[in-house]
């Protein structure tokens, strides 16, 4: 969840209620610019990072515990994602630094981490990774579009945007839930295999033309994130 941003003044200036970045020569000037909400946001990124490393550990050890952690940690990231906005409102302190941190942490926890988990589960062919890379890049583009257009999206009486343009990137937890179900059923590489099997679009089996049809789900999800016409009401 990206923190709500005030509307710009004259189209190109940030609202004065946002704390500007205080750029000084101090060695730890960055740390001094952090607000409590920013530290909560960083915990979102921590969860996503540990999910990625847990997926890597699974690939090295084939220990299912690492895979379960990789699947659970993005959900923990979502909890921190919800909390940072509440903390910012409670402390009445929002910063430009925090807004950028929020988008970057979301990309790690809800973009990169789910794609790496999918790779660990078994979507490992060349075309599978093309779909997963497209998913990450569309998530990146979707977050950038939100930051650029949030000021012009219609607001409700409380000043919050009425809808999301395209699926918000935390919706990728739906994909994580699907992967979790597969893991519970043993539908992973090296066990019962990925649902839908493997097909070869061109060339010989085992080459770059191989793809798991289910990887297309990530491609469709990516398209929904960058859609202009898909409007998801805010709860």
């Amino acid at each position: 969840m990206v923190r709500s941003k005030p509307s710009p003044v004259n189209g190109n200036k940030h609202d004065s209620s946002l704390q500007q970045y205080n750029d000084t020569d101090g060695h730890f000037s960055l740390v001094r610019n952090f607000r409590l909400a920013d530290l909560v946001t960083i915990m979102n990124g921590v969860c996503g990072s540990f999910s990625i490393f847990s997926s890597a550990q699974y690939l090295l050890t084939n220990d299912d515990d690492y895979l379960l952690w990789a699947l659970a940690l993005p959900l923990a990231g979502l909890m921190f994602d919800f909390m940072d906005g509440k903390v910012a409102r409670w402390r009445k302190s929002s910063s430009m630094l925090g807004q950028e941190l929020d988008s970057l942490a979301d990309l790690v926890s809800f973009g990169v981490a789910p794609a790496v988990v999918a790779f660990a589960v078994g979507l490992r062919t060349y075309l599978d990774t093309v779909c997963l890379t497209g998913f990450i890049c569309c998530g990146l583009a979707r977050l950038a579009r939100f930051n650029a257009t949030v000021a012009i999206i219609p607001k409700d009486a409380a000043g919050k945007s009425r809808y999301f343009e395209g699926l918000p990137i935390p919706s990728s937890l739906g994909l994580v839930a699907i992967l979790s179900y597969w893991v519970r059923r043993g539908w992973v590489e090296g066990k019962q295999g990925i649902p839908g099997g493997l097909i070869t679009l061109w060339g010989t089996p085992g080459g770059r033309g191989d793809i798991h049809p289910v990887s297309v789900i990530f491609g469709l999800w990516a398209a929904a994130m960058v859609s202009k016409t898909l409007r998801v009401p805010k709860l």
Side-chain angles (χ1 to χ4, degrees), residues 56-78:
Q57 289 282 10
Y58 171 75
L59 290 170
L60 291 172
T61 65
N62 212 32
D63 185 339
D64 287 346
D65 286 344
Y66 285 118
L67 188 56
L68 294 175
W69 273 112
L71 290 162
L73 284 165
L75 179 60
L78 182 66

Side-chain angles (χ1 to χ4, degrees), residues 153-163:
I153 293 177
K155 307 292 191 298
D156 59 18
K160 295 182 180 180
S161 300
R162 293 179 179 175
Y163 55 81

Side-chain angles (χ1 to χ4, degrees), residues 43-124:
M43 287 306 301
N44 176 10
V46 168
C47 291
S49 299
F50 271 112
S51 174
I52 294 168
F53 288 126
S54 294
S55 293
Q57 289 282 10
Y58 171 75
L59 290 170
L60 291 172
T61 65
N62 212 32
D63 185 339
D64 287 346
D65 286 344
Y66 285 118
L67 188 56
L68 294 175
W69 273 112
L71 290 162
L73 284 165
L75 179 60
L78 182 66
M79 298 301 102
F80 287 110
D81 194 33
F82 282 139
M83 287 172 56
D84 62 7
K86 294 183 181 299
V87 171
R89 288 188 289 273
W90 167 54
R91 299 286 295 179
K92 297 181 180 179
S93 177
S94 297
S95 68
M96 294 172 62
L97 178 64
Q99 291 179 354
E100 302 307 320
L101 280 173
D102 194 74
S103 291
L104 294 171
D106 282 357
L107 180 64
V108 174
S109 293
F110 311 126
V112 180
V116 176
V117 173
F119 181 88
V121 166
L123 301 184
R124 304 174 190 172

